[in-house]
Amino acid sequence: MSAVKLRNIGPKSAAWLRQVGLRSREDLVAIGAVGAFVKVKRAGFKPSLNLLYSLEGALLDCHWQELSEPQRTALVQDYEARIAVHPLKAAGPASGPVHEQRFDAEDDGEESTAESADED
């Protein structure tokens, strides 16, 4: 988020939100807690449900642990419904295959060239 510090949102969560284009409280209000959580997940980050609860708490101006069990259940159900309609893409490999290539002093061709020059 921007200069405005939201309740429950730490530096890592704020960085995730900025990276998905949510930079102010107004941005968060417009998309809602579940919408913001989905954007963060779709961007490839791996937040826990605590982020979802924290976002809702930020909107309600309460600590995320103060959310009732029915509120938490409703948030998770809303999230699951959105994902069911448009599933998250499976994450690809963290990196491509690793290929190892060794260059030994004997195999680089330099010594054989120097030896052949001495023979002339």
Side-chain angles (χ1 to χ4, degrees):
M1 305 262 91
S2 64
V4 177
K5 175 100 171 97
L6 290 176
R7 188 172 187 170
N8 306 315
I9 307 300
K12 186 174 185 178
S13 298
W16 287 347
L17 293 170
R18 279 191 307 273
Q19 290 180 39
V20 299
L22 301 172
R23 301 188 186 314
S24 67
R25 177 174 176 73
E26 292 75 26
D27 292 342
L28 184 57
V29 168
I31 196 168
V34 176
F37 185 74
V38 169
K39 280 187 83 138
V40 169
K41 293 279 283 187
R42 288 195 191 287
F45 300 110
K46 295 181 171 52
S48 70
L49 288 176
N50 287 346
L51 177 63
L52 178 59
Y53 306 145
S54 295
L55 292 166
E56 184 69 9
L59 292 173
L60 298 175
D61 196 28
C62 69
H63 192 277
W64 66 271
Q65 291 177 330
E66 294 174 13
L67 295 177
S68 67
E69 195 57 38
Q71 286 173 304
R72 291 179 190 209
T73 301
L75 289 167
V76 172
Q77 287 174 344
D78 187 4
Y79 165 70
E80 290 174 346
R82 291 184 194 203
I83 294 304
V85 174
H86 300 288
L88 296 172
K89 292 182 182 177
S95 65
V98 175
H99 300 283
E100 185 176 315
Q101 188 173 8
R102 294 179 183 231
F103 297 98
D104 295 330
E106 296 173 12
D107 295 337
D108 65 14
E110 289 179 18
E111 287 190 23
S112 62
T113 305
E115 289 174 10
S116 61
D118 289 338
E119 292 174 7
D120 289 337

